[in-house]
Amino acid sequence: LNRQLHGYDWSVIPWPRADFGNAAARSLACGVPVVCYDVAPFNEIVRHEHHGHLIRCELTLSPGVEAPAAVPDVEAMTQLCLE
């Protein structure tokens, strides 16, 4: 799993209640920024625009979601995930 995650630019968690945040924690541990909903437990794990992007629950994440346009430097965010 770690080898697979290292090949990704982003990890997208498309549902607001998923596995108690384990997927987000695994992604961050591999240096992969996370895009997920701004609800617990994700907002307790992911710091917005530091480790990834938190999306308000009123918005939806579609299957074709693109990386957020406001991200200045994905490589810098990846390094922050590993710290």
Side-chain angles (χ1 to χ4, degrees):
L1 180 62
N2 288 348
R3 276 182 283 183
Q4 287 179 321
L5 284 174
H6 280 294
Y8 295 132
D9 291 327
W10 293 95
S11 178
V12 177
I13 302 172
W15 51 92
R17 304 278 182 230
D19 73 358
F20 306 105
N22 291 332
R26 275 193 302 269
S27 293
L28 295 177
C30 291
V32 179
V34 176
V35 176
C36 59
Y37 284 102
D38 187 7
V39 296
F42 304 116
N43 58 9
E44 298 168 2
I45 298 169
V46 178
R47 285 181 38 204
H48 183 67
E49 293 188 1
H50 185 83
H51 298 125
H53 280 269
L54 297 171
I55 308 296
R56 290 190 327 268
C57 280
E58 299 84 47
L59 303 175
T60 60
L61 296 175
S62 67
V65 68
E66 296 291 329
V71 177
D73 186 356
V74 175
E75 289 182 22
M77 193 175 285
T78 297
Q79 289 303 314
L80 290 171
C81 292
L82 294 172
E83 294 177 356

